Amino acid sequence: MVNDALLKAVEDELDGAHCRLRFADDVEARFEADTQRQRSRNMVLAGVISAIIYCLFLINDYSFRPEAFATAVQLRMGVMLPFGLSVLWWVYRGVSPVLRETLMASTVVVATVVSCLIFAKSVAPYSYLDVFSFGLILLVGNIVYSLRFSYACASSAASIVIILAFVLPYEPMPVEAKRLAIFTIIAMGIFSLVANYRFELSERTSYLHVLKEKIRAGYYLKDNQKLSQLSITDPLTNLANRRQFDAVLPVRWKEAIDKGMCMGLMVIDIDYFKAYNDFYGHPQGDICLQQVAKAMHDNSRDADLVVRLGGEEFVVLMVNASSEATNVAAERIRASIAALRIPNFGVSHQAYITVSVGVAVLSPTDELTPTDLLSAADRALYEAKRQGRNAIRMANLAGSPSDGDAAGDLDRLSR
């Protein structure tokens, strides 16, 4: 349900206004959560590079304004660099999206103030040419940092106001140069904001398409898993079906060979089930099968594979099982089904649903095959049926049942 609502919200965003840089609250929260870590890393890397370049402008300071070089060093290295690195550290450690954008935007404004202070401190000829480089600070915030558009607008506007406040009263700078510099800075701010807007819009649109496909892929994966599960599960009893049994048996057989373990197999058949179906009808027969299957599952180990082969025939595959343990497990299953006391008036008014069980246990070798195990258990089942039903017969390695291992002769339907 959550994914359904999210998918609907994503589709609404894609179908809605394409110029808006803000999603609905649930999609916006998902967008920030999914992009925050990588965005913070990218901004920190951009900040480090920008800090290095900003400090390299000391070379320019030394060349243009040697009389104010000491001030430039103090402001760039003593103020801007510590402030910028502190911001980058906080962003790297992880802060909220609002605080992240605010902190990074603040570095743009502070860098503008520091540059303007250095500019105002000097009266050296042509030092005012620095003003033309102030637009680079706007480019850093709008393009290199790629601040969210609203923060980019705010930091750009604040920086331009600061530049105007320092440049307009600066007497050594010719009016014509001031006019050109201010026009250039404003143009750079506008152009970079347009690029910033397009970058963020593109990022958001791409994110919506990717998120939409991820959600759909999740549905496809869930559907495929469901179909795969259905293909190996008996729909009536929710037990494994013949397909799953045929796939698992060779795998466990090989594991038993590699680990030197024994394997046990029970073949279980409901006694006189045709008579039950004929008397009660197939819908009631299905309910009976479900009850019997549940009893088998509840009385088997978690590691055992309980399978409905078809009709009223079931198997239980046991790994690392001795003859004694398998026989005990078979008796537990036989007794639990007899204890259900499901009447079978199709046989007689005293009859109840019971099962016959053929059991085979052997240690797999390369000379034997899984079919040998199944055939031995099947022959043992036939013997249990022949000797009166509601019984367990244990097959020996040759496949003939052992007389000493029979159990559970109560309530035989042959009476």
PDB file of all heavy atoms in Angstrom, residues 191-211:
ATOM      1  N   PHE A 191      22.961  34.300 -15.504  1.00  0.00           N
ATOM      2  CA  PHE A 191      23.243  33.138 -16.337  1.00  0.00           C
ATOM      3  C   PHE A 191      23.473  31.881 -15.493  1.00  0.00           C
ATOM      4  O   PHE A 191      22.994  30.790 -15.816  1.00  0.00           O
ATOM      5  CB  PHE A 191      24.468  33.401 -17.224  1.00  0.00           C
ATOM      6  CG  PHE A 191      24.233  34.427 -18.289  1.00  0.00           C
ATOM      7  CD1 PHE A 191      25.280  35.225 -18.750  1.00  0.00           C
ATOM      8  CD2 PHE A 191      22.975  34.606 -18.843  1.00  0.00           C
ATOM      9  CE1 PHE A 191      25.064  36.172 -19.736  1.00  0.00           C
ATOM     10  CE2 PHE A 191      22.752  35.549 -19.826  1.00  0.00           C
ATOM     11  CZ  PHE A 191      23.795  36.335 -20.272  1.00  0.00           C
ATOM     12  N   SER A 192      24.229  32.036 -14.406  1.00  0.00           N
ATOM     13  CA  SER A 192      24.513  30.868 -13.562  1.00  0.00           C
ATOM     14  C   SER A 192      23.255  30.390 -12.840  1.00  0.00           C
ATOM     15  O   SER A 192      23.092  29.192 -12.586  1.00  0.00           O
ATOM     16  CB  SER A 192      25.626  31.190 -12.561  1.00  0.00           C
ATOM     17  OG  SER A 192      25.259  32.270 -11.719  1.00  0.00           O
ATOM     18  N   LEU A 193      22.343  31.318 -12.514  1.00  0.00           N
ATOM     19  CA  LEU A 193      21.088  30.910 -11.880  1.00  0.00           C
ATOM     20  C   LEU A 193      20.201  30.145 -12.868  1.00  0.00           C
ATOM     21  O   LEU A 193      19.515  29.187 -12.487  1.00  0.00           O
ATOM     22  CB  LEU A 193      20.340  32.123 -11.340  1.00  0.00           C
ATOM     23  CG  LEU A 193      20.887  32.719 -10.038  1.00  0.00           C
ATOM     24  CD1 LEU A 193      20.159  34.010  -9.689  1.00  0.00           C
ATOM     25  CD2 LEU A 193      20.759  31.714  -8.888  1.00  0.00           C
ATOM     26  N   VAL A 194      20.207  30.587 -14.128  1.00  0.00           N
ATOM     27  CA  VAL A 194      19.454  29.846 -15.150  1.00  0.00           C
ATOM     28  C   VAL A 194      19.997  28.424 -15.277  1.00  0.00           C
ATOM     29  O   VAL A 194      19.235  27.447 -15.331  1.00  0.00           O
ATOM     30  CB  VAL A 194      19.528  30.574 -16.503  1.00  0.00           C
ATOM     31  CG1 VAL A 194      18.943  29.685 -17.623  1.00  0.00           C
ATOM     32  CG2 VAL A 194      18.771  31.896 -16.436  1.00  0.00           C
ATOM     33  N   ALA A 195      21.334  28.321 -15.312  1.00  0.00           N
ATOM     34  CA  ALA A 195      21.950  26.989 -15.397  1.00  0.00           C
ATOM     35  C   ALA A 195      21.626  26.171 -14.143  1.00  0.00           C
ATOM     36  O   ALA A 195      21.333  24.970 -14.224  1.00  0.00           O
ATOM     37  CB  ALA A 195      23.458  27.118 -15.575  1.00  0.00           C
ATOM     38  N   ASN A 196      21.674  26.813 -12.983  1.00  0.00           N
ATOM     39  CA  ASN A 196      21.364  26.138 -11.730  1.00  0.00           C
ATOM     40  C   ASN A 196      19.939  25.588 -11.749  1.00  0.00           C
ATOM     41  O   ASN A 196      19.688  24.443 -11.344  1.00  0.00           O
ATOM     42  CB  ASN A 196      21.542  27.109 -10.559  1.00  0.00           C
ATOM     43  CG  ASN A 196      21.125  26.518  -9.228  1.00  0.00           C
ATOM     44  OD1 ASN A 196      19.950  26.494  -8.889  1.00  0.00           O
ATOM     45  ND2 ASN A 196      22.103  26.051  -8.472  1.00  0.00           N
ATOM     46  N   TYR A 197      19.015  26.411 -12.227  1.00  0.00           N
ATOM     47  CA  TYR A 197      17.616  25.997 -12.308  1.00  0.00           C
ATOM     48  C   TYR A 197      17.456  24.772 -13.207  1.00  0.00           C
ATOM     49  O   TYR A 197      16.775  23.797 -12.864  1.00  0.00           O
ATOM     50  CB  TYR A 197      16.768  27.157 -12.837  1.00  0.00           C
ATOM     51  CG  TYR A 197      15.326  26.810 -13.072  1.00  0.00           C
ATOM     52  CD1 TYR A 197      14.392  26.884 -12.041  1.00  0.00           C
ATOM     53  CD2 TYR A 197      14.903  26.395 -14.333  1.00  0.00           C
ATOM     54  CE1 TYR A 197      13.063  26.552 -12.263  1.00  0.00           C
ATOM     55  CE2 TYR A 197      13.577  26.065 -14.569  1.00  0.00           C
ATOM     56  CZ  TYR A 197      12.663  26.146 -13.531  1.00  0.00           C
ATOM     57  OH  TYR A 197      11.355  25.817 -13.759  1.00  0.00           O
ATOM     58  N   ARG A 198      18.112  24.828 -14.355  1.00  0.00           N
ATOM     59  CA  ARG A 198      18.003  23.715 -15.287  1.00  0.00           C
ATOM     60  C   ARG A 198      18.648  22.455 -14.718  1.00  0.00           C
ATOM     61  O   ARG A 198      18.128  21.340 -14.906  1.00  0.00           O
ATOM     62  CB  ARG A 198      18.651  24.091 -16.620  1.00  0.00           C
ATOM     63  CG  ARG A 198      17.917  25.220 -17.344  1.00  0.00           C
ATOM     64  CD  ARG A 198      18.616  25.610 -18.633  1.00  0.00           C
ATOM     65  NE  ARG A 198      18.634  24.514 -19.584  1.00  0.00           N
ATOM     66  CZ  ARG A 198      19.228  24.564 -20.769  1.00  0.00           C
ATOM     67  NH1 ARG A 198      19.854  25.677 -21.139  1.00  0.00           N
ATOM     68  NH2 ARG A 198      19.194  23.539 -21.588  1.00  0.00           N
ATOM     69  N   PHE A 199      19.776  22.593 -14.016  1.00  0.00           N
ATOM     70  CA  PHE A 199      20.434  21.436 -13.399  1.00  0.00           C
ATOM     71  C   PHE A 199      19.509  20.766 -12.385  1.00  0.00           C
ATOM     72  O   PHE A 199      19.344  19.546 -12.374  1.00  0.00           O
ATOM     73  CB  PHE A 199      21.729  21.851 -12.703  1.00  0.00           C
ATOM     74  CG  PHE A 199      22.841  22.199 -13.647  1.00  0.00           C
ATOM     75  CD1 PHE A 199      23.920  22.960 -13.215  1.00  0.00           C
ATOM     76  CD2 PHE A 199      22.825  21.770 -14.957  1.00  0.00           C
ATOM     77  CE1 PHE A 199      24.943  23.294 -14.081  1.00  0.00           C
ATOM     78  CE2 PHE A 199      23.849  22.100 -15.835  1.00  0.00           C
ATOM     79  CZ  PHE A 199      24.919  22.864 -15.392  1.00  0.00           C
ATOM     80  N   GLU A 200      18.923  21.603 -11.503  1.00  0.00           N
ATOM     81  CA  GLU A 200      18.071  21.017 -10.465  1.00  0.00           C
ATOM     82  C   GLU A 200      16.815  20.401 -11.068  1.00  0.00           C
ATOM     83  O   GLU A 200      16.373  19.336 -10.642  1.00  0.00           O
ATOM     84  CB  GLU A 200      17.696  22.065  -9.415  1.00  0.00           C
ATOM     85  CG  GLU A 200      16.868  21.468  -8.282  1.00  0.00           C
ATOM     86  CD  GLU A 200      16.622  22.426  -7.143  1.00  0.00           C
ATOM     87  OE1 GLU A 200      17.246  23.511  -7.109  1.00  0.00           O
ATOM     88  OE2 GLU A 200      15.786  22.088  -6.274  1.00  0.00           O
ATOM     89  N   LEU A 201      16.227  21.071 -12.049  1.00  0.00           N
ATOM     90  CA  LEU A 201      15.041  20.525 -12.693  1.00  0.00           C
ATOM     91  C   LEU A 201      15.350  19.187 -13.352  1.00  0.00           C
ATOM     92  O   LEU A 201      14.580  18.224 -13.247  1.00  0.00           O
ATOM     93  CB  LEU A 201      14.508  21.510 -13.727  1.00  0.00           C
ATOM     94  CG  LEU A 201      13.211  21.102 -14.442  1.00  0.00           C
ATOM     95  CD1 LEU A 201      12.066  20.965 -13.445  1.00  0.00           C
ATOM     96  CD2 LEU A 201      12.865  22.117 -15.527  1.00  0.00           C
ATOM     97  N   SER A 202      16.501  19.125 -14.025  1.00  0.00           N
ATOM     98  CA  SER A 202      16.904  17.884 -14.672  1.00  0.00           C
ATOM     99  C   SER A 202      17.152  16.784 -13.638  1.00  0.00           C
ATOM    100  O   SER A 202      16.755  15.627 -13.830  1.00  0.00           O
ATOM    101  CB  SER A 202      18.167  18.113 -15.503  1.00  0.00           C
ATOM    102  OG  SER A 202      18.634  16.909 -16.063  1.00  0.00           O
ATOM    103  N   GLU A 203      17.813  17.151 -12.536  1.00  0.00           N
ATOM    104  CA  GLU A 203      18.087  16.174 -11.474  1.00  0.00           C
ATOM    105  C   GLU A 203      16.781  15.619 -10.907  1.00  0.00           C
ATOM    106  O   GLU A 203      16.632  14.411 -10.705  1.00  0.00           O
ATOM    107  CB  GLU A 203      18.906  16.831 -10.365  1.00  0.00           C
ATOM    108  CG  GLU A 203      19.185  15.902  -9.188  1.00  0.00           C
ATOM    109  CD  GLU A 203      19.801  16.623  -8.002  1.00  0.00           C
ATOM    110  OE1 GLU A 203      19.869  17.863  -8.035  1.00  0.00           O
ATOM    111  OE2 GLU A 203      20.182  15.939  -7.030  1.00  0.00           O
ATOM    112  N   ARG A 204      15.837  16.509 -10.638  1.00  0.00           N
ATOM    113  CA  ARG A 204      14.570  16.074 -10.055  1.00  0.00           C
ATOM    114  C   ARG A 204      13.760  15.219 -11.023  1.00  0.00           C
ATOM    115  O   ARG A 204      13.171  14.199 -10.635  1.00  0.00           O
ATOM    116  CB  ARG A 204      13.755  17.296  -9.610  1.00  0.00           C
ATOM    117  CG  ARG A 204      14.315  17.974  -8.368  1.00  0.00           C
ATOM    118  CD  ARG A 204      13.554  19.234  -8.022  1.00  0.00           C
ATOM    119  NE  ARG A 204      14.002  19.776  -6.744  1.00  0.00           N
ATOM    120  CZ  ARG A 204      13.497  19.455  -5.558  1.00  0.00           C
ATOM    121  NH1 ARG A 204      12.485  18.592  -5.494  1.00  0.00           N
ATOM    122  NH2 ARG A 204      13.956  19.974  -4.447  1.00  0.00           N
ATOM    123  N   THR A 205      13.732  15.611 -12.286  1.00  0.00           N
ATOM    124  CA  THR A 205      12.988  14.830 -13.268  1.00  0.00           C
ATOM    125  C   THR A 205      13.602  13.444 -13.445  1.00  0.00           C
ATOM    126  O   THR A 205      12.891  12.440 -13.502  1.00  0.00           O
ATOM    127  CB  THR A 205      12.962  15.569 -14.618  1.00  0.00           C
ATOM    128  OG1 THR A 205      12.386  16.871 -14.443  1.00  0.00           O
ATOM    129  CG2 THR A 205      12.135  14.794 -15.634  1.00  0.00           C
ATOM    130  N   SER A 206      14.932  13.394 -13.521  1.00  0.00           N
ATOM    131  CA  SER A 206      15.609  12.101 -13.649  1.00  0.00           C
ATOM    132  C   SER A 206      15.340  11.222 -12.436  1.00  0.00           C
ATOM    133  O   SER A 206      15.117  10.010 -12.562  1.00  0.00           O
ATOM    134  CB  SER A 206      17.117  12.317 -13.811  1.00  0.00           C
ATOM    135  OG  SER A 206      17.401  13.042 -14.987  1.00  0.00           O
ATOM    136  N   TYR A 207      15.351  11.858 -11.264  1.00  0.00           N
ATOM    137  CA  TYR A 207      15.091  11.092 -10.044  1.00  0.00           C
ATOM    138  C   TYR A 207      13.698  10.474 -10.071  1.00  0.00           C
ATOM    139  O   TYR A 207      13.514   9.314  -9.695  1.00  0.00           O
ATOM    140  CB  TYR A 207      15.235  11.988  -8.815  1.00  0.00           C
ATOM    141  CG  TYR A 207      14.828  11.293  -7.534  1.00  0.00           C
ATOM    142  CD1 TYR A 207      15.691  10.398  -6.903  1.00  0.00           C
ATOM    143  CD2 TYR A 207      13.563  11.498  -6.979  1.00  0.00           C
ATOM    144  CE1 TYR A 207      15.311   9.737  -5.755  1.00  0.00           C
ATOM    145  CE2 TYR A 207      13.175  10.837  -5.825  1.00  0.00           C
ATOM    146  CZ  TYR A 207      14.049   9.965  -5.213  1.00  0.00           C
ATOM    147  OH  TYR A 207      13.676   9.300  -4.079  1.00  0.00           O
ATOM    148  N   LEU A 208      12.706  11.247 -10.519  1.00  0.00           N
ATOM    149  CA  LEU A 208      11.337  10.725 -10.572  1.00  0.00           C
ATOM    150  C   LEU A 208      11.245   9.512 -11.497  1.00  0.00           C
ATOM    151  O   LEU A 208      10.595   8.513 -11.168  1.00  0.00           O
ATOM    152  CB  LEU A 208      10.379  11.812 -11.053  1.00  0.00           C
ATOM    153  CG  LEU A 208      10.079  12.952 -10.078  1.00  0.00           C
ATOM    154  CD1 LEU A 208       9.191  13.997 -10.745  1.00  0.00           C
ATOM    155  CD2 LEU A 208       9.424  12.440  -8.807  1.00  0.00           C
ATOM    156  N   HIS A 209      11.905   9.594 -12.658  1.00  0.00           N
ATOM    157  CA  HIS A 209      11.863   8.463 -13.582  1.00  0.00           C
ATOM    158  C   HIS A 209      12.551   7.236 -12.990  1.00  0.00           C
ATOM    159  O   HIS A 209      12.044   6.113 -13.107  1.00  0.00           O
ATOM    160  CB  HIS A 209      12.521   8.844 -14.912  1.00  0.00           C
ATOM    161  CG  HIS A 209      11.691   9.747 -15.766  1.00  0.00           C
ATOM    162  ND1 HIS A 209      10.518   9.340 -16.362  1.00  0.00           N
ATOM    163  CD2 HIS A 209      11.844  11.061 -16.121  1.00  0.00           C
ATOM    164  CE1 HIS A 209       9.991  10.336 -17.051  1.00  0.00           C
ATOM    165  NE2 HIS A 209      10.775  11.400 -16.923  1.00  0.00           N
ATOM    166  N   VAL A 210      13.700   7.448 -12.337  1.00  0.00           N
ATOM    167  CA  VAL A 210      14.423   6.322 -11.731  1.00  0.00           C
ATOM    168  C   VAL A 210      13.594   5.723 -10.601  1.00  0.00           C
ATOM    169  O   VAL A 210      13.487   4.491 -10.477  1.00  0.00           O
ATOM    170  CB  VAL A 210      15.797   6.786 -11.209  1.00  0.00           C
ATOM    171  CG1 VAL A 210      16.454   5.688 -10.375  1.00  0.00           C
ATOM    172  CG2 VAL A 210      16.701   7.167 -12.368  1.00  0.00           C
ATOM    173  N   LEU A 211      13.014   6.573  -9.753  1.00  0.00           N
ATOM    174  CA  LEU A 211      12.213   6.086  -8.638  1.00  0.00           C
ATOM    175  C   LEU A 211      11.005   5.306  -9.142  1.00  0.00           C
ATOM    176  O   LEU A 211      10.641   4.260  -8.586  1.00  0.00           O
ATOM    177  CB  LEU A 211      11.764   7.255  -7.760  1.00  0.00           C
ATOM    178  CG  LEU A 211      10.920   6.904  -6.530  1.00  0.00           C
ATOM    179  CD1 LEU A 211      11.670   5.943  -5.620  1.00  0.00           C
ATOM    180  CD2 LEU A 211      10.525   8.165  -5.767  1.00  0.00           C
TER     181      LEU A 211
END
